[in-house]
Amino acid sequence: MSPSSSEDAAQPALVPTHDPARFQILALSGGGYRGLFTAKILADLEQHLGAPIASRFDLLAGTSIGGILAMALSLEVPAERMVRLFEQHGEDIFRSRWSLWGILRAPYTQSALRDLLADDALFGQRTLQACKHPVLVPAINYSTGNPVLFKTPHHPDLVRDWRYRLVDVALATSAAPGYFPRHSFDHCQYIDGGLFANAPGILAVHEAQHFLGCKRDQLHVVAVGTMSSRFTVNPHRNRGGGTLDWGGWNPAATPKRLFGIAISAQESLVHHLLRHRLPEGQYHHIDEDLTDERARAVALDKVDVNAQEVLLGSATQQAKGWLGKPAFRELLQHQPRPPHFYHGTDFHPSGASAHAEPA
């Protein structure tokens, strides 16, 4: 997976500006294969910048596929490489296996995704301490029933997560119920963080305020969605609330529909919360509502050419529209404060982490 010619042909990097009173967050939602939409937007923004998009943000947050993208960006893996991974290997990631219609086991396995991420060009065997930029990735520890946030050691109290392999964190945050089996590591079982934080922007705002000492007026958030469909009821359906109501004739479809409702409702809720919580002009939500016709072409596990056409075409238009806004282009000129990591084998007691750039 060597860099493509499009990566090599990136524009000269635009000179960033430093404002110590400004703290910028990039929040990436989950959505399975719809993450191709997110990756393409980020690739187009990087092409405009001529620099890694992570170099313009103080904190990255991502859930499920958004978490995988956030960690890749934190390593400064070009977003265009992630676009190619989706285009070339979507069918491998979502290759059905015998599961008795999903009743005996999940219809997909994470083995192909694991192998792709374990390539040295992506995550390899690296751990969270390899990240060059602060990252937050939600999941659920199904062994304890508690939500967890995997984080880089950007605060003195974050003493453990830096040891975890990026591949394990990626598989934990993306183990969507009804699609993939649970992912186990460190003697615990994990499932998709989208069940409680599919749109992680609100968690990132809390992280910035509670752990990093930021004030509300300092925060600027760019949240990128995944064209999440609105799950609504068909009034002609059975209303009994049983598996026939929720999953139709296939009971195994019930968890998929419930998961879809959960992530769709969260996307809407967090969008409204952040609009209310942040000052006007400091919250930017990049997403697109699907028409009924286009919604039928895309889904968490649809990987065909029709899905790609909708996702890539919509992403290109979204990036074009946002880059046409002077205020958004100005936002992309932000130079973050040098990251400070407190733990890990690269930690320097003198006060600067090995990843920190000279002031």
Side-chain angles (χ1 to χ4, degrees):
M1 289 188 290
S2 59
S4 69
S5 58
S6 61
E7 292 171 11
D8 297 334
Q11 299 176 5
L14 301 175
V15 179
T17 57
H18 180 60
D19 180 356
R22 188 181 181 104
F23 189 95
Q24 293 198 169
I25 294 168
L26 178 64
L28 308 178
S29 295
Y33 194 72
R34 295 196 307 256
L36 174 59
F37 171 79
T38 310
K40 177 58 175 171
I41 288 174
L42 297 170
D44 285 1
L45 297 183
E46 287 191 337
Q47 184 181 48
H48 167 76
L49 286 173
I53 189 70
S55 68
R56 299 301 193 261
F57 290 90
D58 299 271
L59 176 64
L60 309 178
T63 303
S64 198
I65 184 54
I68 294 173
L69 289 172
M71 289 187 289
L73 296 177
S74 76
L75 295 173
E76 298 189 353
V77 172
E80 179 63 31
R81 190 178 302 171
M82 303 305 291
V83 171
R84 291 201 314 277
L85 183 146
F86 273 86
E87 290 181 304
Q88 298 172 9
H89 300 287
E91 291 185 354
D92 298 324
I93 296 171
F94 289 98
R95 188 179 303 280
S96 297
R97 61 176 178 173
W98 185 85
S99 61
L100 192 62
W101 303 287
I103 296 174
L104 293 180
R105 59 182 182 175
Y108 309 112
T109 171
Q110 286 186 309
S111 59
L113 179 60
R114 180 194 62 224
D115 292 344
L116 289 166
L117 296 178
D119 189 294
D120 287 338
L122 289 177
F123 295 166
Q125 296 303 310
R126 287 179 286 185
T127 65
L128 273 168
Q129 70 168 327
C131 294
K132 299 178 181 179
H133 307 274
V135 176
L136 178 155
V137 178
I140 292 177
N141 185 330
Y142 194 42
S143 296
T144 65
N146 292 322
V148 295
L149 302 178
F150 296 109
K151 305 176 186 180
T152 47
H154 49 260
H155 185 274
D157 293 343
L158 305 176
V159 300
R160 182 70 182 177
D161 290 357
W162 64 269
R163 303 172 186 270
Y164 293 142
R165 292 192 315 147
L166 292 165
V167 171
D168 282 321
V169 175
L171 297 180
T173 190
S174 60
Y179 295 92
F180 295 107
R182 298 185 288 275
H183 180 63
S184 299
F185 76 98
D186 200 29
H187 310 293
C188 292
Q189 299 181 38
Y190 293 90
I191 54 178
D192 200 305
L195 285 167
F196 80 99
N198 197 65
I202 197 73
L203 296 180
V205 166
H206 175 79
E207 187 79 10
Q209 293 180 313
H210 183 74
F211 287 99
L212 300 174
C214 297
K215 293 180 170 50
R216 187 176 74 106
D217 291 346
Q218 294 178 267
L219 301 177
H220 294 254
V221 176
V222 175
V224 186
T226 55
M227 301 181 72
S228 296
S229 302
R230 297 288 185 269
F231 279 77
T232 57
V233 68
N234 180 344
H236 298 290
R237 287 182 67 94
N238 173 297
R239 303 185 184 202
T243 55
L244 184 63
D245 180 8
W246 288 106
W249 292 107
N250 180 9
T254 297
K256 289 185 177 182
R257 184 162 184 84
L258 292 176
F259 183 70
I261 292 171
I263 65 176
S264 174
Q266 284 182 52
E267 194 79 28
S268 179
L269 172 64
V270 171
H271 171 54
H272 288 291
L273 289 177
L274 288 176
R275 279 200 313 170
H276 296 160
R277 185 163 183 173
L278 296 177
E280 185 176 356
Q282 293 182 207
Y283 171 58
H284 310 271
H285 185 227
I286 305 176
D287 206 352
E288 182 169 328
D289 291 330
L290 288 167
T291 61
D292 291 341
E293 291 78 9
R294 299 178 87 203
R296 285 192 285 269
V298 302
L300 189 148
D301 56 350
K302 284 189 177 181
V303 299
D304 57 25
V305 293
N306 297 320
Q308 291 187 11
E309 177 181 313
V310 171
L311 296 168
L312 292 172
S314 297
T316 297
Q317 292 304 308
Q318 283 291 322
K320 177 181 177 180
W322 282 91
L323 287 172
K325 301 178 181 181
F328 188 75
R329 293 199 306 273
E330 181 182 355
L331 179 148
L332 293 178
Q333 294 304 105
H334 173 64
Q335 181 181 23
R337 64 191 71 178
H340 185 105
F341 297 134
Y342 291 86
H343 306 285
T345 56
D346 292 340
F347 171 63
H348 292 268
S350 61
S353 77
H355 301 311
E357 299 175 359

